[in-house]
Amino acid sequence: MEIHSDGPALVLSGDFDVRSTSKVRPALYAHLEAHGEGEVVVDLTAVRVVDLTALKVLAVATRRAHEDRGQQLVLRGCGPAVRRMLHKSRLIRVLEVERTAVPA
């Protein structure tokens, strides 16, 4: 799992699963802390695999960011595998996914 910051976006790449949550969680909270109020983006464009544990980390961070700091955490670049897990887990109800235009 590779993690880097690109302005208000935290960019993740690789496999986001139970093995990488201990690396992502502190980076995510540090990123939220550093970016005050407003929208904070987690870019998952380069994430190949995601599991339920990883999505739960994002869900808890979303709730804490909103309740503690008035921030909105938004997921960007969710590929088919990520979207499938969001729907299967029903966390799509909790996590905000950035809308993208579909080419005609």
Side-chain angles (χ1 to χ4, degrees):
M1 170 60 55
E2 298 287 324
I3 304 168
H4 73 274
S5 179
D6 184 12
L10 184 68
V11 181
L12 307 180
S13 58
D15 296 341
F16 187 18
D17 56 19
V18 69
R19 294 170 295 179
S20 60
T21 56
S22 63
K23 186 176 178 182
V24 173
R25 186 181 294 111
L28 178 58
Y29 286 114
H31 190 77
L32 288 167
E33 185 72 29
H35 286 87
E37 293 181 7
E39 185 175 281
V40 177
V41 174
V42 176
D43 190 332
L44 302 174
T45 303
V47 169
R48 296 180 303 257
V49 176
V50 69
D51 69 6
L52 182 58
T53 302
L55 291 180
K56 285 182 179 181
V57 166
L58 295 174
V60 170
T62 296
R63 186 178 66 221
R64 288 174 106 188
H66 179 70
E67 290 174 358
D68 296 349
R69 304 180 58 81
Q71 293 171 307
Q72 180 180 9
L73 192 123
V74 178
L75 304 181
R76 174 181 293 159
C78 296
V82 174
R83 286 183 181 273
R84 201 168 21 260
M85 278 302 294
L86 284 167
H87 286 282
K88 280 184 172 181
S89 66
R90 298 184 184 201
L91 287 172
I92 192 75
R93 298 175 182 177
V94 177
L95 294 164
E96 180 74 26
V97 176
E98 184 177 71
R99 296 179 189 267
T100 56
V102 178

